[in-house]
Amino acid sequence: AWVVTLGSRPFAPQHGRGRLATTRISCSDGATRSSAHSPVVRMNMTDLEILENLHESYNLQRIGSLLEGEDLYRAVAPQIAPLDVAALPEVLTELVGLGGCAGAPGRWAELGVDEQAKILRRIATRANEDFVKQLSISRVTRPGADVHLKELFKSMAIEFLSQGRLTGPDTWESQALGMWARELCANMQQEEMRRFVVLHARDYLPVTRSPGHMAGNAEMIALACAFGRPMYAYGKGSLSKDAVEVEINNRGFASVRPYFQTHTAAAAARDVPPVRVFQLDGDGPFYMLGCAGPGQ
């Protein structure tokens, strides 16, 4: 067994947690690269330890104070450029209130973050509606469709649990909820999951249009598909994983991996940097992640 360097002392990752010493690399591309040969270990880490590691590994920092958490859309909005909006189909820009394609990028640039966030919510909801329509016709075979289906199913299951329509754990602790939802997925055939999503989408998707609904992985996939931008979410990700994954380089230094990241053909074709967000406390508010300035 090998060890991870934490600060100035060796540390066996399966035995606990501590400060991760890492090698800093360029913010422009460092958080998008991963070696297939680098081992990955699972660790228990606090939010502050994760944020410190992101700064040391990728020169990334949280934008906004811990008292100013945003929903996913507000954390994403400042990272969507007019060129991203220009890639949207005209029918979608008209539906969400941006008008035709020709003027949509300019209108986007003129909007404040609150209005941009509202439009992103409409875009994500519409993209998920279109995905369910495709599911209702046949099994979707595009790359990443199986992940989109699973994440949409898990979101629906947790929402229906909150409404008393499904039975599950007797606690709302995010780790228990995440484990319950992941076990549901593991024990269900994909075709059965597809039928469930199609059957109950009419009850669930309108809920996602509400400003009070906490967007998550399914909405990240929807935005990634719409804009052709990869989405990277960092944090403990309690609803997605039961531990933080760190990648170890050949010198024993560790870098935190996203708890969730999207893979879409459109994003690969555009070769653009990912949208990066951080989620507080495993299932709490989101923050934009941006490059740290000199001396930060």
Side-chain angles (χ1 to χ4, degrees):
W2 33 267
V3 297
V4 181
T5 298
L6 294 171
S8 59
R9 61 187 177 85
F11 179 85
Q14 66 270 30
H15 293 158
R17 67 178 181 225
R19 180 176 178 272
L20 295 178
T22 60
T23 301
R24 178 175 296 202
I25 51 182
S26 165
C27 178
S28 61
D29 63 357
T32 68
R33 297 183 304 184
S34 177
S35 169
H37 304 294
S38 298
V40 174
V41 296
R42 298 155 68 81
M43 300 182 68
N44 293 319
M45 297 175 67
T46 67
D47 284 340
L48 290 179
E49 286 170 341
I50 296 170
L51 287 167
E52 182 181 44
N53 180 264
L54 290 174
H55 184 266
E56 292 177 340
S57 297
Y58 310 123
N59 198 30
L60 292 173
Q61 67 177 8
R62 183 192 69 246
I63 306 299
S65 75
L66 288 175
L67 299 178
E68 298 173 346
E70 317 275 17
D71 70 8
L72 174 67
Y73 301 114
R74 284 182 57 86
V76 169
Q79 303 181 68
I80 299 298
L83 281 177
D84 297 319
V85 176
L88 295 173
E90 184 162 4
V91 63
L92 184 56
T93 60
E94 291 178 347
L95 279 171
V96 300
L98 285 172
C101 280
R107 281 187 282 275
W108 175 263
E110 294 170 355
L111 295 174
V113 172
D114 287 338
E115 288 304 311
Q116 289 177 337
K118 291 177 183 177
I119 287 175
L120 290 181
R121 184 179 289 276
R122 294 178 204 143
I123 289 172
T125 302
R126 178 68 185 199
N128 277 330
E129 288 172 345
D130 289 344
F131 178 61
V132 171
K133 287 180 183 177
Q134 296 170 28
L135 289 175
S136 68
I137 298 171
S138 64
R139 181 179 177 184
V140 178
T141 58
R142 66 165 170 79
D146 55 337
V147 177
H148 197 171
L149 173 61
K150 288 179 181 178
E151 295 301 333
L152 193 54
F153 170 77
K154 287 191 290 186
S155 295
M156 293 175 71
I158 291 173
E159 175 62 30
F160 293 155
L161 178 67
S162 72
Q163 297 176 5
R165 297 174 60 179
L166 288 177
T167 58
D170 56 1
T171 174
W172 281 101
E173 193 273 324
S174 59
Q175 199 76 49
L177 281 178
M179 184 178 297
W180 172 76
R182 292 192 297 272
E183 287 179 353
L184 279 182
C185 281
N187 294 323
M188 184 175 286
Q189 296 293 323
Q190 188 178 77
E191 177 58 23
E192 186 181 3
M193 198 180 303
R194 184 188 71 85
R195 290 198 300 266
F196 179 96
V197 167
V198 171
L199 180 63
H200 298 288
R202 186 174 297 179
D203 294 330
Y204 173 73
L205 290 176
V207 175
T208 66
R209 300 191 191 105
S210 168
H213 178 262
M214 177 67 81
N217 295 353
E219 287 74 23
M220 288 188 221
I221 297 174
L223 291 175
C225 291
F227 289 104
R229 290 279 302 275
M231 302 277 294
Y232 285 24
Y234 293 89
K236 288 184 284 190
S238 302
L239 294 176
S240 301
K241 298 182 181 294
D242 56 11
V244 178
E245 293 182 350
V246 295
E247 186 172 318
I248 316 301
N249 67 18
N250 57 11
R251 290 185 296 169
F253 292 124
S255 298
V256 170
R257 301 180 74 183
Y259 73 78
F260 184 76
Q261 62 188 82
T262 63
H263 299 280
T264 66
R270 291 190 66 199
D271 190 25
V272 290
V275 172
R276 303 183 184 102
V277 297
F278 176 83
Q279 188 176 30
L280 182 68
D281 201 29
D283 64 345
F286 286 90
Y287 300 85
M288 172 183 168
L289 286 173
C291 292
Q296 293 183 297

